[in-house]
Amino acid sequence: MLHILLVEDNSADVMLVREAIRRSTVKADVLIAYDGEQALRILDELQFAPDCILLDLNVPKFDGLTLLERYRDRFGAPVIVLTGSENPEDRRRAFELGVEDYVVKPVGFDSFLARVQELLERFTNQKAADQSAG
């Protein structure tokens, strides 16, 4: 089972991620943080690091880039930016701060579901490979 922290303030996008998980073959437990402060609280309270963090850049209190700049060492998990921002500077900065991938949210429902499912399968395969190696 994957353990995912989704940092997303848009309830429609939260619902889409949950629907993508439901439709996929991947089993995942998703914790939701609706702002940067809540994300930090969740990370502090967890007994384990999540397998991945899906991070929107445009969340309240601490935006995604600020979270990455200030708290990257606390994440302990690969971070995928899942955002509406097509700004090349945001993309460049996110990669400088160590994100694994930068995904601009597709506009269409089916495209969004397919992209999230692809990410989930990638992390499931990565987790299985890490467990085999360790």
Side-chain angles (χ1 to χ4, degrees), residues 59-72:
V59 292
K61 300 194 181 173
F62 294 112
D63 67 29
L65 290 173
T66 301
L67 277 168
L68 287 168
E69 287 169 355
R70 295 185 184 171
Y71 304 105
R72 175 69 175 148

Side-chain angles (χ1 to χ4, degrees), residues 108-122:
F109 177 76
D110 290 334
S111 297
F112 188 92
L113 290 180
R115 189 63 172 120
V116 171
Q117 288 171 339
E118 177 185 312
L119 292 170
L120 294 171
E121 289 174 15
R122 184 171 109 200

Side-chain angles (χ1 to χ4, degrees), residues 16-34:
L16 286 174
V17 170
R18 287 181 185 228
E19 181 63 16
I21 292 167
R22 189 187 70 74
R23 291 184 182 196
S24 78
T25 59
V26 174
K27 300 228 183 291
D29 178 40
V30 181
L31 295 170
I32 311 292
Y34 293 95

